[in-house]
Amino acid sequence: FLRKKFYLFSQFLMDEQIKARLYKDIRFFKENRQQLEQMYPFERAEKFNKGIRKLGLSPDGNSYLDQFRMMVTQIGNAMGYIRMIRSGGLHCCSNAIRFVPDLEEIISFEEMVKESNLSEESKLAAKHLDSCIDTLAKNFAEGTEYLKMLVDIFAKTFRNAKNKHLNNFYIIIPPMTLNYVEYMMSAKEKMNRKNKTGAAFTDDGFAMGVAYILKLLDQYAKFDSLHWFQAVSEKYRREMSQLKESRQRGRDDEKLLETMSLTVKRLSTGQQEFDLLYYSLSSARIFFRADKTAAEETEEDSKKADDTAPATDSSAPPPAPEAAPAAPAGPPPPPDTSGGGGPPPPPPPPPPPPLPPNW
């Protein structure tokens, strides 16, 4: 399922029109970072969201960005489903192991049966019981980090140099969040209608999908550098202050006041939806350890591997040095041509005494 979704994800970001616009936005932000006070402009995200509708619409009236947002939501829903399954497994393990009095010191039933000299059937039953208890204790204490496994499986491919076009993902998040907020405002309005087709009151899969993909691409720092949610808050604060000033000037115009009250309601709803999205995204980032980069996680894993490696016994004496290689044999002595019985050649010198054991 995820492979199919990521293939479509890659195809969307590889599209020439989308890629050209994203490169343009990245260049614009880098060149005007100081003038923009390190915040990605809300107007530029709004322009992207509206401009992409010119590329075409689906039969349902959805733009390409709408479909991309829904695909990211489906990826996030898959992550949520996996986490739900893991929580259910831990709940099942906790119910099954609650009868074990002490998980730190689990008694071996097999040894007790052997000490009591019971039958072979009892020994086999005790062995199976010990195996079940050990498995439950291990699953309950450790659990399986399925989310980390899914990050490790796809991260290498996402960060490959061949997939450079995926590195533009962080810059499309501002217009995509704007698209998401518009969708949620429309879906919540439908909750009060008689025809509730398309109605919804929450959609946390989007935040989960964004957090997961940012982790795969190791782009948390790049997205944070946009200060997007701060730019949104500043935009709504500025518009609300302008409305208050306009309301004071047009106190006598009832139609103007009515229009302004609707505008204030719309702005308040939009600000609330952005705040909810920010909270959901911040919570989702915790699941994927957003506080650490890929390099820091790799270093931490290597340290854990070194700590768990078997340590050498410092009290044992060091190994004896290897013996030096034997010297090559000299040339054979010349044959005795004198015919006399000369003295034999002297014997070779004795070998050096062995080294003491603590040398």
Side-chain angles (χ1 to χ4, degrees):
F1 175 80
L2 289 177
R3 281 198 186 99
K4 293 179 181 178
K5 296 301 177 183
F6 284 141
Y7 175 77
L8 297 175
F9 175 86
S10 176
Q11 291 297 313
F12 176 82
L13 293 179
M14 195 183 293
D15 184 82
E16 290 299 329
Q17 295 181 348
I18 300 296
K19 187 164 60 174
R21 180 57 189 265
L22 295 180
Y23 277 129
K24 184 177 179 182
D25 288 346
I26 292 174
R27 193 182 315 112
F28 170 82
F29 183 72
K30 287 182 178 179
E31 294 175 353
N32 300 277
R33 186 189 297 267
Q34 299 300 329
Q35 293 86 340
L36 297 172
E37 298 180 355
Q38 307 288 338
M39 292 188 294
Y40 188 83
F42 185 92
E43 294 75 15
R44 199 165 185 89
E46 196 172 28
K47 183 180 178 182
F48 186 100
N49 189 26
K50 293 179 179 178
I52 201 171
R53 300 186 70 86
K54 299 177 182 179
L55 299 180
L57 300 175
S58 68
D60 299 334
N62 294 323
S63 67
Y64 287 111
L65 192 59
D66 291 325
Q67 298 177 54
F68 187 67
R69 170 185 54 79
M70 288 188 286
M71 181 174 58
V72 172
T73 302
Q74 291 169 359
I75 293 173
N77 287 337
M79 298 295 105
Y81 176 74
I82 292 170
R83 182 173 177 270
M84 183 177 64
I85 294 296
R86 180 178 183 272
S87 299
L90 289 177
H91 179 69
C92 179
C93 286
S94 63
N95 287 337
I97 207 171
R98 59 184 174 177
F99 301 105
V100 178
D102 189 358
L103 293 177
E104 299 296 332
E105 296 181 3
I106 299 178
I107 300 173
S108 174
F109 285 91
E110 185 179 7
E111 294 179 0
M112 297 174 63
V113 169
K114 288 181 179 178
E115 292 175 359
S116 302
N117 294 324
L118 298 181
S119 62
E120 293 297 328
E121 290 80 2
S122 300
K123 294 179 182 179
L124 182 62
K127 182 178 180 181
H128 289 323
L129 179 59
D130 288 341
S131 176
C132 292
I133 293 177
D134 290 342
T135 302
L136 285 173
K138 182 179 179 181
N139 292 337
F140 180 76
E142 299 178 1
T144 305
E145 297 183 3
Y146 293 107
L147 297 182
K148 187 177 185 303
M149 287 172 56
L150 289 171
V151 170
D152 296 338
I153 288 171
F154 292 103
K156 188 177 294 185
T157 304
F158 268 64
R159 298 169 190 173
N160 195 312
K162 298 179 180 179
N163 297 320
K164 278 187 176 180
H165 60 284
L166 299 180
N167 294 332
N168 302 329
F169 174 71
Y170 77 99
I171 203 68
I172 203 176
I173 294 179
M176 191 164 54
T177 55
L178 185 59
N179 181 281
Y180 168 81
V181 167
E182 292 177 354
Y183 157 73
M184 286 306 304
M185 292 171 63
S186 174
K188 288 183 177 181
E189 287 178 359
K190 294 177 182 178
M191 291 288 294
N192 300 323
R193 299 178 185 175
K194 186 174 295 185
N195 183 12
K196 291 183 171 53
T197 304
F201 66 91
T202 184
D203 193 359
D204 294 338
F206 174 74
M208 195 75 168
V210 170
Y212 176 49
I213 297 173
L214 283 175
K215 181 64 177 181
L216 291 179
L217 294 168
D218 194 23
Q219 288 189 337
Y220 280 130
K222 288 186 176 181
F223 174 67
D224 291 340
S225 68
L226 301 178
H227 299 95
W228 168 238
F229 289 103
Q230 297 179 19
V232 171
S233 300
E234 180 63 23
K235 184 260 182 185
Y236 279 109
R237 185 195 63 78
R238 187 170 58 250
E239 289 195 1
M240 291 292 285
S241 62
Q242 292 175 357
L243 278 175
K244 288 181 180 179
E245 294 177 359
S246 300
R247 179 180 290 182
Q248 291 177 356
R249 290 195 301 265
R251 293 177 180 176
D252 301 330
D253 193 341
E254 295 183 0
K255 291 184 178 180
L256 181 60
L257 290 176
E258 184 178 354
T259 303
M260 287 184 177
S261 63
L262 293 175
T263 306
V264 169
K265 183 179 178 181
R266 178 179 58 82
L267 291 176
S268 301
T269 305
Q271 178 66 69
Q272 183 182 11
E273 290 299 328
F274 267 108
D275 290 342
L276 291 174
L277 176 59
Y278 172 72
Y279 301 145
S280 298
L281 184 58
S282 300
S283 302
R285 290 174 62 161
I286 296 174
F287 297 129
F288 303 104
R289 302 179 64 187
D291 58 325
K292 295 184 181 295
T293 62
E296 291 173 344
E297 284 192 3
T298 304
E299 182 180 356
E300 183 178 346
D301 293 340
S302 62
K303 286 183 179 178
K304 286 183 179 179
D306 294 340
D307 294 340
T308 56
T312 57
D313 188 1
S314 58
S315 61
E322 296 182 0
D336 188 6
T337 56
S338 60
L355 297 173
N358 293 328
W359 182 78

